[in-house]
Amino acid sequence: MEAVPGVRALLSLHRLVVQRSFGLIPVQLASLYLPRRLCSTTSPSTESKQTVNTENESLLENLNLMGVDLKKVRQRQPGVLRRSFTNEQGLAHFLEGKGASSSVIADIISRYPRAITRSIDHLEKRWKLWRNIFNTDEEVVSILKRSPESFFRSSDNGNLEKNIAFLTSLGLNAKDLHRLLTTAPRTFSNSLELNKQMVECLGDVCLQLGGKNPEQFAKAVISRNLYILIRSTKRVRTNIDILRDLLKLTDSELLALLQGPGAEILDLSSEYLKNNFITLDQKLVSLGCQETDIKNMFLKYPMVLFIGADTLNSKLDCLLNGGITMMQIVKKPKVLDYSTQNITGRIQELKRVGYDFEKKGINILELSRKRFVAKMEKLNASSND
């Protein structure tokens, strides 16, 4: 009679196996039916932890042979290593056919492990959609090398196709889409509705400011700020209000700023934008600038608001110590776009050849590196004569 409980337990287990085989008990509920005497003596929490942390040994072996950095995989998307079914070999074969080397494939998987969960059918459809934008397979591979997430992050090819059609309908051309995919690929992972909300928001702003062509306005903003579609409409509206209030802009001034260089700062953190403006404004006032000078400076080069307070102070001090006046900086604010080291080096080189900033201005400091070097060769030759 003592053996009866054991026999009953075995019969219960047999029934469970049969029932699960025919789908009579959901797999996730099966553990509830296991006889207690046949369960592991490990506590439920420990047992659950061991199950969750079990990696697929066959997958680990495959990835290791492919040269994948398993340490990176565990840091980024460890859940992939616990999957029973993956497509690493199919992915490798597919990418090899597009011209990717084995080392590039290994790096792609290391940096974005979920790539191995995509089916061949999915990969082929997505590749075809990308090739509508890029001219060659080589171009697509080069993007995958830099940003594998941009290609593999979303599994919804239908959504990608709709977003491409929608953005094209705004008048964005292949070049614009190319820049969006390479710079802000999350734009295409957004739901179509989310992208439409931002475009509608920009259109409303245009009409509220007296603009006549909301779609053209939206296109101009997106073309100038590739990150705008991955920001919230709340942030964009808040930043527009900040610019209006701090610069005391009229509707027409604000409209011109937003569809011009001002579009480039709309995706900044609102707090960062506000703090940078206040810091710069205080600095300029302390150096003798008038309110109208400050306003004109921002309208000419709003990108100055990207510069942090400490960096800005360092650049201004460097220019002023080099014999350049504050009014020259206000009129040519783009000079602040260069690093302090670059500015210092150029001023020193120009001083050696006796360059007079008061007479000749500071345009030379804004030249590209190539043009500056050519200009210095001429100035050196003149000074030697």
Side-chain angles (χ1 to χ4, degrees):
M1 296 296 292
E2 293 177 1
V4 170
V7 171
R8 285 177 179 168
L10 288 171
L11 287 172
S12 297
L13 180 60
H14 176 71
R15 280 197 301 273
L16 173 65
V17 171
V18 171
Q19 288 171 325
R20 281 185 58 185
S21 299
F22 288 93
L24 299 177
I25 300 177
V27 174
Q28 64 268 32
L29 298 179
S31 60
L32 300 177
Y33 292 83
L34 283 174
R36 288 182 178 275
R37 292 192 182 186
L38 294 183
C39 289
S40 167
T41 54
T42 309
S43 67
S45 60
T46 307
E47 184 181 64
S48 175
K49 197 176 291 184
Q50 287 175 339
T51 303
V52 168
N53 290 330
T54 300
E55 293 180 342
N56 183 333
E57 293 296 330
S58 176
L59 173 59
L60 293 177
E61 186 178 345
N62 281 346
L63 295 179
N64 198 41
L65 288 171
M66 292 169 68
V68 173
D69 187 333
L70 294 176
K71 184 178 179 181
K72 278 187 181 178
V73 174
R74 292 188 177 100
Q75 288 172 341
R76 298 179 183 200
Q77 294 164 354
V80 171
L81 298 178
R82 298 192 288 271
R83 295 207 176 200
S84 301
F85 302 102
T86 50
N87 189 34
E88 65 277 6
Q89 292 177 353
L91 172 66
H93 182 69
F94 177 83
L95 292 176
E96 281 172 1
K98 304 300 181 184
S101 66
S102 56
S103 60
V104 166
I105 294 167
D107 188 54
I108 287 171
I109 297 172
S110 301
R111 292 166 60 199
Y112 200 79
R114 276 203 291 271
I116 66 174
T117 66
R118 306 299 183 224
S119 69
I120 295 300
D121 182 56
H122 166 86
L123 293 172
E124 287 175 345
K125 287 179 181 176
R126 176 144 294 217
W127 199 274
K128 185 178 179 181
L129 289 170
W130 273 50
R131 277 300 308 275
N132 289 335
I133 299 170
F134 296 93
N135 293 323
T136 65
D137 286 344
E138 186 180 7
E139 282 186 273
V140 180
V141 170
S142 71
I143 301 303
L144 266 61
K145 284 166 66 175
R146 294 201 308 271
S147 175
E149 180 184 9
S150 63
F151 186 87
F152 295 105
R153 184 174 186 266
S154 171
S155 60
D156 191 342
N157 284 331
N159 185 63
L160 171 61
E161 189 169 12
K162 289 174 185 175
N163 273 324
I164 291 173
F166 172 64
L167 294 171
T168 302
S169 73
L170 296 177
L172 295 173
N173 56 32
K175 185 179 178 181
D176 294 321
L177 296 178
H178 186 290
R179 289 169 59 233
L180 272 169
L181 266 177
T182 54
T183 307
R186 273 181 51 204
T187 298
F188 297 89
S189 299
N190 284 348
S191 68
L192 176 62
E193 189 56 39
L194 200 60
N195 285 335
K196 281 185 174 181
Q197 284 176 16
M198 179 57 77
V199 170
E200 287 169 7
C201 169
L202 293 173
D204 289 344
V205 167
C206 173
L207 294 174
Q208 288 162 11
L209 296 177
K212 304 300 181 186
N213 194 333
E215 282 199 0
Q216 182 59 36
F217 177 82
K219 178 193 171 185
V221 173
I222 295 168
S223 297
R224 280 185 170 270
N225 190 330
L226 300 176
Y227 298 100
I228 197 79
L229 289 167
I230 58 176
R231 304 300 183 220
S232 69
T233 55
K234 181 181 177 182
R235 174 184 288 196
V236 170
R237 284 191 175 277
T238 301
N239 284 345
I240 291 172
D241 291 339
I242 288 172
L243 289 171
R244 181 204 291 274
D245 295 342
L246 293 178
L247 290 171
K248 299 178 175 59
L249 299 173
T250 63
D251 285 355
S252 59
E253 286 175 329
L254 183 55
L255 184 66
L257 177 66
L258 295 178
Q259 60 191 357
E264 298 177 53
I265 60 173
L266 286 181
D267 67 304
L268 283 175
S269 155
S270 301
E271 201 62 33
Y272 183 84
L273 177 65
K274 189 174 182 178
N275 289 342
N276 275 14
F277 177 89
I278 292 170
T279 301
L280 180 55
D281 183 66
Q282 291 172 345
K283 177 74 173 180
L284 295 177
V285 169
S286 72
L287 293 170
C289 293
Q290 301 299 312
E291 189 175 306
T292 52
D293 297 325
I294 297 170
K295 178 178 177 177
N296 289 332
M297 178 180 178
F298 284 119
L299 290 177
K300 278 184 181 178
Y301 194 63
M303 293 290 285
V304 72
L305 292 172
F306 269 106
I307 307 172
D310 292 341
T311 304
L312 180 66
N313 284 330
S314 175
K315 289 180 179 183
L316 286 172
D317 291 342
C318 172
L319 288 163
L320 295 171
N321 292 336
I324 293 158
T325 68
M326 194 60 233
M327 284 312 298
Q328 285 179 309
I329 299 171
V330 168
K331 290 177 180 177
K332 295 289 181 180
K334 194 175 179 182
V335 70
L336 294 169
D337 197 33
Y338 294 89
S339 68
T340 305
Q341 184 180 6
N342 187 304
I343 293 169
T344 303
R346 289 191 173 191
I347 289 174
Q348 288 174 349
E349 285 187 61
L350 290 165
K351 279 187 173 181
R352 278 197 293 269
V353 297
Y355 192 87
D356 190 333
F357 289 113
E358 188 176 349
K359 290 181 180 178
K360 299 180 179 179
I362 64 171
N363 285 354
I364 191 169
L365 294 176
E366 295 183 359
L367 295 178
S368 67
R369 186 176 180 279
K370 184 178 180 180
R371 291 180 65 195
F372 180 78
V373 169
K375 184 69 174 177
M376 286 306 303
E377 287 176 356
K378 290 180 181 179
L379 290 172
N380 278 314
S382 298
S383 64
N384 289 334
D385 292 342

